[in-house]
Amino acid sequence: MKLERNSKLLRIFLGELDKLHGTPLYEALVLEAKKQGVAGATVLRGILSYGASSRIHSAKLLDLSLDLPVTIEIVDEQDKIEAFVDVANAMIEEAGCGALITIEAVEVIHYKPKK
């Protein structure tokens, strides 16, 4: 697969405890992206966040949060990102959780599999 230099970056911000049919929502989203042929996805776990609810999620040693922030980053061409956003939004709605979805332009410099 080849990525065009001018692509899009999709970011989905969730809580690590968000689930869809018993599966972590971040995992369900990544597996669905792979199923749809999206170029790639990475899940990042945060140590501190707050969002629309203004509730602090923290990884402090004495106050371990069981719901740390999770960000899924997905890069692909605009048409694939736009198609996946609709699917991701439906999955998030079905899970009934809070989330933030953003898209921004990115310049792909290097995208190749291991030899």
Coordinates of all heavy atoms in Angstrom, one line a residue, residues 27-67:
E27 N -10.0 -1.0 21.0 CA -9.6 -2.3 20.2 C -10.6 -2.5 19.1 O -10.2 -2.8 18.0 CB -9.6 -3.4 21.2 CG -9.1 -4.7 20.6 CD -9.1 -5.9 21.6 OE1 -8.8 -5.6 22.8 OE2 -9.2 -7.0 21.1
A28 N -11.9 -2.4 19.4 CA -12.9 -2.6 18.3 C -12.7 -1.6 17.2 O -12.8 -2.0 16.0 CB -14.3 -2.4 19.0
L29 N -12.3 -0.3 17.5 CA -12.1 0.6 16.4 C -10.9 0.3 15.6 O -11.0 0.4 14.4 CB -12.0 2.0 17.1 CG -13.3 2.7 17.6 CD1 -13.0 3.8 18.5 CD2 -14.2 3.1 16.4
V30 N -9.8 -0.1 16.2 CA -8.6 -0.5 15.4 C -8.9 -1.7 14.6 O -8.5 -1.7 13.4 CB -7.4 -0.7 16.4 CG1 -6.2 -1.3 15.7 CG2 -7.0 0.6 17.0
L31 N -9.6 -2.7 15.1 CA -9.8 -3.9 14.3 C -10.8 -3.5 13.2 O -10.6 -4.1 12.1 CB -10.5 -5.0 15.2 CG -9.5 -5.6 16.3 CD1 -10.3 -6.5 17.2 CD2 -8.3 -6.2 15.6
E32 N -11.7 -2.6 13.4 CA -12.6 -2.2 12.3 C -11.8 -1.4 11.2 O -12.1 -1.6 10.0 CB -13.8 -1.4 12.8 CG -14.8 -1.0 11.8 CD -15.5 -2.2 11.1 OE1 -15.6 -3.3 11.7 OE2 -15.8 -2.1 9.9
A33 N -10.9 -0.6 11.6 CA -10.1 0.2 10.7 C -9.3 -0.8 9.8 O -9.2 -0.6 8.6 CB -9.2 1.1 11.4
K34 N -8.7 -1.8 10.4 CA -7.9 -2.8 9.7 C -8.8 -3.6 8.7 O -8.5 -3.8 7.6 CB -7.3 -3.8 10.7 CG -6.4 -4.8 10.0 CD -5.6 -5.6 11.0 CE -4.8 -6.8 10.4 NZ -4.3 -6.7 9.1
K35 N -10.0 -3.9 9.2 CA -11.0 -4.6 8.3 C -11.3 -3.8 7.1 O -11.5 -4.3 6.0 CB -12.2 -5.0 9.2 CG -13.3 -5.7 8.5 CD -14.4 -6.1 9.5 CE -15.7 -6.3 8.8 NZ -16.8 -6.5 9.7
Q36 N -11.4 -2.5 7.3 CA -11.8 -1.6 6.2 C -10.6 -1.2 5.3 O -10.7 -0.4 4.4 CB -12.4 -0.3 6.7 CG -13.8 -0.6 7.3 CD -14.6 0.6 7.4 OE1 -14.3 1.7 6.9 NE2 -15.7 0.5 8.2
G37 N -9.4 -1.7 5.6 CA -8.2 -1.5 4.8 C -7.6 -0.1 5.0 O -6.8 0.4 4.1
V38 N -7.8 0.5 6.2 CA -7.1 1.7 6.5 C -5.6 1.5 6.7 O -5.2 0.4 7.2 CB -7.8 2.3 7.8 CG1 -7.0 3.5 8.2 CG2 -9.2 2.6 7.5
A39 N -4.8 2.4 6.3 CA -3.4 2.2 6.3 C -2.7 1.8 7.6 O -1.9 1.0 7.6 CB -2.7 3.5 5.8
G40 N -3.2 2.4 8.7 CA -2.6 2.0 10.0 C -3.2 2.8 11.1 O -3.8 3.8 10.9
A41 N -3.1 2.2 12.3 CA -3.6 2.8 13.5 C -2.7 2.6 14.7 O -2.1 1.5 14.8 CB -5.0 2.3 13.8
T42 N -2.7 3.5 15.6 CA -1.9 3.4 16.8 C -2.7 3.8 18.0 O -3.4 4.9 17.9 CB -0.6 4.2 16.8 OG1 0.2 3.8 15.7 CG2 0.2 4.1 18.1
V43 N -2.7 3.1 19.1 CA -3.4 3.5 20.3 C -2.4 4.0 21.3 O -1.4 3.3 21.6 CB -4.2 2.3 20.9 CG1 -4.9 2.7 22.2 CG2 -5.2 1.8 19.9
L44 N -2.6 5.2 21.9 CA -1.7 5.8 22.8 C -2.5 5.9 24.2 O -3.6 6.4 24.2 CB -1.3 7.2 22.4 CG -0.6 7.2 21.0 CD1 -0.5 8.6 20.5 CD2 0.7 6.5 21.0
R45 N -1.8 5.5 25.3 CA -2.5 5.7 26.6 C -1.9 6.9 27.3 O -0.7 7.1 27.4 CB -2.1 4.4 27.4 CG -2.9 4.3 28.7 CD -2.5 3.0 29.3 NE -3.3 2.7 30.5 CZ -2.9 2.1 31.5 NH1 -1.6 1.6 31.5 NH2 -3.6 1.9 32.6
G46 N -2.8 7.7 27.8 CA -2.4 9.0 28.4 C -2.2 8.8 29.9 O -2.6 7.8 30.5
I47 N -1.6 9.8 30.5 CA -1.5 9.8 32.0 C -2.3 10.8 32.7 O -2.5 10.8 33.9 CB 0.0 10.0 32.4 CG1 0.6 11.3 31.9 CG2 0.8 8.8 31.9 CD1 1.9 11.7 32.4
L48 N -2.9 11.8 32.0 CA -3.7 12.8 32.6 C -4.6 13.5 31.5 O -4.1 13.8 30.4 CB -2.8 13.9 33.2 CG -3.6 15.0 34.0 CD1 -4.3 14.5 35.2 CD2 -2.6 16.1 34.4
S49 N -5.9 13.6 31.8 CA -6.8 14.3 30.9 C -8.0 14.8 31.5 O -8.3 14.4 32.6 CB -7.1 13.3 29.7 OG -8.1 12.4 30.2
Y50 N -8.8 15.6 30.8 CA -10.2 15.9 31.1 C -10.8 16.3 29.8 O -10.1 16.6 28.8 CB -10.4 16.9 32.2 CG -10.1 18.4 31.7 CD1 -11.2 19.1 31.3 CD2 -8.9 18.9 31.7 CE1 -11.0 20.4 30.8 CE2 -8.6 20.2 31.3 CZ -9.7 21.0 30.9 OH -9.5 22.2 30.5
G51 N -12.1 16.2 29.7 CA -12.8 16.5 28.5 C -14.1 17.2 28.7 O -14.2 18.0 29.7
A52 N -15.1 16.8 28.0 CA -16.4 17.5 28.0 C -17.1 17.4 29.4 O -17.8 18.3 29.8 CB -17.4 17.0 26.9
S53 N -16.8 16.3 30.1 CA -17.4 16.2 31.5 C -16.7 16.9 32.5 O -17.1 17.0 33.7 CB -17.5 14.7 31.8 OG -16.2 14.2 32.1
S54 N -15.5 17.4 32.2 CA -14.6 18.1 33.1 C -14.1 17.2 34.3 O -13.6 17.7 35.3 CB -15.2 19.4 33.7 OG -15.4 20.3 32.7
R55 N -14.2 15.9 34.1 CA -13.7 15.0 35.1 C -12.2 14.7 34.8 O -11.9 14.4 33.7 CB -14.5 13.7 35.1 CG -14.2 12.7 36.1 CD -15.2 11.6 36.2 NE -14.5 10.4 36.7 CZ -14.3 9.3 36.1 NH1 -14.8 9.1 34.9 NH2 -13.6 8.3 36.7
I56 N -11.4 14.8 35.8 CA -10.0 14.5 35.7 C -9.7 13.0 35.7 O -10.2 12.3 36.6 CB -9.1 15.2 36.8 CG1 -9.3 16.7 36.7 CG2 -7.7 14.7 36.7 CD1 -8.5 17.4 35.6
H57 N -9.0 12.5 34.7 CA -8.5 11.1 34.7 C -7.0 11.2 34.9 O -6.3 11.9 34.1 CB -8.9 10.5 33.3 CG -10.3 10.6 33.0 ND1 -11.2 9.6 33.3 CD2 -11.0 11.5 32.4 CE1 -12.4 9.9 32.9 NE2 -12.3 11.1 32.3
S58 N -6.5 10.5 35.9 CA -5.1 10.6 36.2 C -4.4 9.2 36.5 O -5.1 8.3 36.9 CB -5.0 11.4 37.5 OG -3.7 11.4 38.0
A59 N -3.1 9.2 36.2 CA -2.4 8.0 36.5 C -1.4 8.2 37.7 O -0.4 7.5 37.8 CB -1.5 7.6 35.3
K60 N -1.8 9.1 38.6 CA -1.0 9.3 39.8 C -0.9 8.0 40.6 O -1.9 7.2 40.7 CB -1.6 10.4 40.7 CG -1.5 11.8 40.1 CD -2.0 12.8 41.0 CE -1.9 14.2 40.4 NZ -2.5 15.2 41.3
L61 N 0.3 7.8 41.2 CA 0.5 6.5 41.9 C -0.4 6.3 43.1 O -0.9 5.2 43.2 CB 2.0 6.6 42.5 CG 2.6 5.2 42.8 CD1 2.5 4.3 41.6 CD2 4.0 5.4 43.2
L62 N -0.8 7.3 43.8 CA -1.7 7.2 45.0 C -3.1 7.2 44.6 O -4.0 6.9 45.4 CB -1.4 8.3 46.0 CG 0.0 8.2 46.6 CD1 0.3 9.4 47.6 CD2 0.3 6.9 47.3
D63 N -3.4 7.7 43.4 CA -4.8 7.8 43.0 C -5.0 7.2 41.6 O -5.3 7.9 40.6 CB -5.2 9.3 42.9 CG -6.6 9.5 42.5 OD1 -7.5 8.7 42.8 OD2 -6.9 10.6 41.9
L64 N -4.8 5.9 41.5 CA -4.8 5.2 40.2 C -6.2 5.3 39.6 O -7.2 4.8 40.2 CB -4.4 3.8 40.3 CG -2.9 3.5 40.5 CD1 -2.6 2.1 40.6 CD2 -2.1 4.1 39.3
S65 N -6.3 5.9 38.4 CA -7.6 5.9 37.7 C -7.7 4.7 36.9 O -6.7 4.2 36.3 CB -7.6 7.2 36.8 OG -8.7 7.1 36.0
L66 N -8.8 4.1 36.9 CA -9.1 2.9 36.1 C -9.6 3.3 34.7 O -9.8 2.4 33.9 CB -10.1 2.0 36.8 CG -9.7 1.5 38.2 CD1 -10.8 0.6 38.8 CD2 -8.4 0.6 38.0
D67 N -9.7 4.6 34.5 CA -10.2 5.0 33.2 C -9.3 6.1 32.6 O -9.7 7.2 32.4 CB -11.6 5.5 33.3 CG -12.3 5.7 32.0 OD1 -11.9 5.1 31.0 OD2 -13.3 6.5 31.9

